[in-house]
Amino acid sequence: MPSSKFINKLRPKKKKDKDKHRGSMTSLAETQTQTPSEVETRKEYIEASILSKVNLDALNEKDDSNTFKSNIENYIGTVKVPVGAVQVQVNGSHANGKYTVPLATTETSLVGTCNRGCQLINMCGGVESVVIKKQVQSAPIFHFESIRLAVKFNEWLGLPATFESVKTNAIAVVEEAVLVKLEHSVHGNCVYSRWYFDTGEAVGQNISTYATKEAMESILKEAPVQPSSWDLDVGLARNRQAATSLMIDGRGVYVTGEVVCPKEKVEEILHVSAEKLASFSRESRTWQLISHTAGSTYQSARVIAAILVASGLDAAAVVESHVGISDMKLTKNGDLRVIVTLPSLMIGTTGGGTKLPSQQACLQIIDLPEEKSREAFAEVVLAAVLGGEIGMCAAMISHHFVNKKKRTESETPSTSLPNGNSVIEEDKAGEAAAEKLNGDATPSEQVNGDSAPGEVKEETKKENKKDQSN
């Protein structure tokens, strides 16, 4: 690792510190220094209309145990997770505009890589997105004394009248649980079923489970044969499971989107070519196929998990939510088309921990519309994921990801340019250098003082190599 003495030479002059915060939130996301003034400056980039409705003090409140009594058993305290934010333009069927997306994480470089991708998206007009469907499943299984009884029950379960009866009884118990489809099949003396519900603005796992239980107990009285026993769910719903079948019928919100980035802007922001990104995408899909991964994304799990934690949703939902497809390919004129599809996004805007003070503040920062808020939330999450995919792939190709991890994990503060790029980078030879900062000294001048451009003092090289070998 470079020594602290070496890193200090790479830092810009103090008198220019204020300049690096001018422009937008994207110029602040990679800044590791957390002084009160810098934190307040970041908040200023959130729309004034949003700030008037959001109590940001909730992010720093120390709540007593009564605040969490509906969300936890055997309460002993809380864990503080830092929250960063990126801004991304969304042109969706339900979300339209530039959205501030809170990311709660302790993982270094996550916000930075996501931010760089979002910056490119914003320069290219935003993500075009659409929600295809939303549904969550429960999957009860019924056991019978013989296969013939199982077949008879299966035939009854497939009748339109049975479907309507289940739908009516489910709504009577939970108004938000609207049955949209019922699948079933026979395996020996058992009938396996999968019940699909539209659960409104809530994630819906608990709603669908409760509605299934109450509705099943009611309609079993009408069945021509009675099961010897039945279980509420044996895993066919794929709750918290990364199943490849999720790519077919989905779970939660099914959302897809794309952005087309001119090749010139790709190189300007990411410092890699559109051709390299498209090639990297093809190679990655090949090896993901060989590895039998569920889906083919790069870091969707990291971005989704950070949003789930920030918004008070079950972090374990990242298991099925991250299953998706990330694709980068060239258009006819050589521009970069980036596509992301997430068929199983288990998110909602009500229920669970969304009502807790700090989590509620994070949702309010996003400023979702009241109508179809869950669909809008899905489109915003997709846009943030798409930004993370772009940023991560570019960082891998250029090797900047490892360099940034080294800097941040050694607690070395980094500063950022107005375009979101870090001041401290490594060149192709692996030697640290600094980029220009708003017309300040050149990288060689920042390192060596009065040395000629392109020269690096020999003792500096030796000192750096010695530290890296240790």
Side-chain angles (χ1 to χ4, degrees), residues 346-366:
M346 290 292 286
I347 60 168
T349 56
T350 63
T354 60
K355 64 181 182 296
L356 295 174
S358 58
Q359 288 83 349
Q360 191 175 73
C362 286
L363 279 172
Q364 290 172 342
I365 288 172
I366 303 175

Side-chain angles (χ1 to χ4, degrees), residues 192-347:
Y192 290 83
S193 64
R194 190 149 59 190
W195 305 30
Y196 293 76
F197 290 92
D198 182 340
T199 56
E201 307 305 323
V203 177
Q205 184 56 59
N206 294 333
I207 290 175
S208 64
T209 301
Y210 180 61
T212 298
K213 176 183 179 296
E214 297 298 321
M216 200 67 250
E217 289 178 346
S218 298
I219 70 164
L220 276 178
K221 301 171 185 177
E222 308 169 8
V225 294
Q226 294 296 309
S228 56
S229 64
W230 63 285
D231 303 314
L232 194 54
D233 200 321
V234 291
L236 195 59
R238 299 154 302 177
N239 182 21
R240 309 303 181 258
Q241 296 177 7
T244 53
S245 62
L246 292 170
M247 295 301 307
I248 300 173
D249 64 345
R251 173 176 166 79
V253 183
Y254 188 125
V255 60
T256 185
E258 69 172 15
V259 61
V260 177
C261 307
K263 53 189 175 183
E264 297 82 8
K265 293 189 182 298
V266 172
E267 294 191 14
E268 175 188 347
I269 302 302
L270 305 179
H271 308 301
V272 296
S273 67
E275 291 84 358
K276 284 187 177 180
L277 284 166
S279 176
F280 180 84
S281 178
R282 288 193 302 271
E283 292 171 357
S284 295
R285 285 199 307 274
T286 298
W287 287 104
Q288 287 166 340
L289 179 63
I290 293 172
S291 302
H292 295 282
T293 60
S296 58
T297 62
Y298 308 104
Q299 72 160 3
S300 62
R302 299 173 76 212
V303 177
I304 293 171
I307 296 174
L308 292 176
V309 173
S311 53
L313 300 170
D314 186 0
V318 71
V319 176
E320 63 258 56
S321 296
H322 88 281
V323 175
I325 300 174
S326 180
D327 194 13
M328 299 184 188
K329 49 192 175 184
L330 297 179
T331 63
K332 290 181 179 179
N333 60 353
D335 294 334
L336 184 70
R337 182 186 298 274
V338 186
I339 306 170
V340 170
T341 296
L342 299 172
S344 305
L345 202 51
M346 290 292 286
I347 60 168

Side-chain angles (χ1 to χ4, degrees), residues 409-430:
E409 291 183 357
S410 63
E411 300 181 353
T412 303
S414 66
T415 54
S416 56
L417 296 168
N419 65 4
N421 298 331
S422 175
V423 171
I424 307 171
E425 294 183 358
E426 287 191 24
D427 59 21
K428 295 180 180 179

Side-chain angles (χ1 to χ4, degrees), residues 46 80 131 147 174 195 201 268-269 289 416 444 462 464:
I46 301 173
K80 195 78 171 178
V131 170
I147 190 173
V174 185
W195 305 30
E201 307 305 323
E268 175 188 347
I269 302 302
L289 179 63
S416 56
S444 59
K462 291 179 179 178
N464 188 29

Side-chain angles (χ1 to χ4, degrees), residues 1-2 108 400-412 426 468:
M1 293 296 298
T108 57
H400 290 167
F401 180 75
V402 175
N403 302 336
K404 181 168 180 59
K405 292 285 283 186
K406 284 181 179 179
R407 290 196 306 274
T408 54
E409 291 183 357
S410 63
E411 300 181 353
T412 303
E426 287 191 24
Q468 290 178 333

